[in-house]
Amino acid sequence: MSSKTISILSYVTIIGWVIAYVKSKDLTTKNDLAVYHLEQGLGFFILSVLVNISLSVIVSIVPAFSFLGYIGIILLILWIFGIINAINEQKKPIPLVGKVFENKFGFLA
């Protein structure tokens, strides 16, 4: 599996991330592009889960805040930016949140 494929797969659900992680271990030389997008994908997945759980709790307590559900659309747009960067083989962080995930997951290196 090529580093580009691993990079793209790292954004496709947590199962896709696990497959990309396992396949990245099979690469003979460590590829910076694959590791970078594995970091971005894992960080974005964790962020998405935390945001969705938080929003679910907030909206269940105060139903008037249901408009906060539009944050999910923002997350979808950011996710698309991550996939586009992986397709173009660019090591660019996901806008707004990607810088936070850089070099945070040492077990990937």
Side-chain angles (χ1 to χ4, degrees):
M1 192 177 283
S2 71
S3 63
K4 181 177 180 178
T5 307
I6 290 171
S7 299
I8 295 168
L9 194 57
S10 67
Y11 290 100
V12 183
T13 72
I14 193 64
I15 295 169
W17 186 90
V18 170
I19 292 169
Y21 175 71
V22 170
K23 290 296 183 180
S24 73
K25 296 297 181 187
D26 292 343
L27 294 176
T28 55
T29 59
K30 205 57 165 163
N31 190 307
D32 289 340
L33 180 70
V35 171
Y36 184 81
H37 286 290
L38 282 167
E39 287 178 345
Q40 293 287 303
L42 179 61
F44 190 75
F45 174 75
I46 292 169
L47 174 72
S48 297
V49 168
L50 292 175
V51 166
N52 283 317
I53 289 171
S54 301
L55 289 177
S56 296
V57 170
I58 290 170
V59 170
S60 68
I61 293 172
V62 184
F65 288 156
S66 62
F67 65 90
L68 292 175
Y70 291 115
I71 292 175
I73 295 171
I74 295 169
L75 290 174
L76 175 67
I77 292 168
L78 295 176
W79 176 73
I80 291 170
F81 273 107
I83 291 177
I84 290 171
N85 289 338
I87 290 170
N88 293 330
E89 298 183 41
Q90 298 175 337
K91 286 177 53 176
K92 288 173 51 178
I94 297 172
L96 304 175
V97 296
K99 287 281 188 194
V100 176
F101 311 135
E102 290 180 346
N103 303 317
K104 295 294 187 218
F105 305 105
F107 64 93
L108 295 174

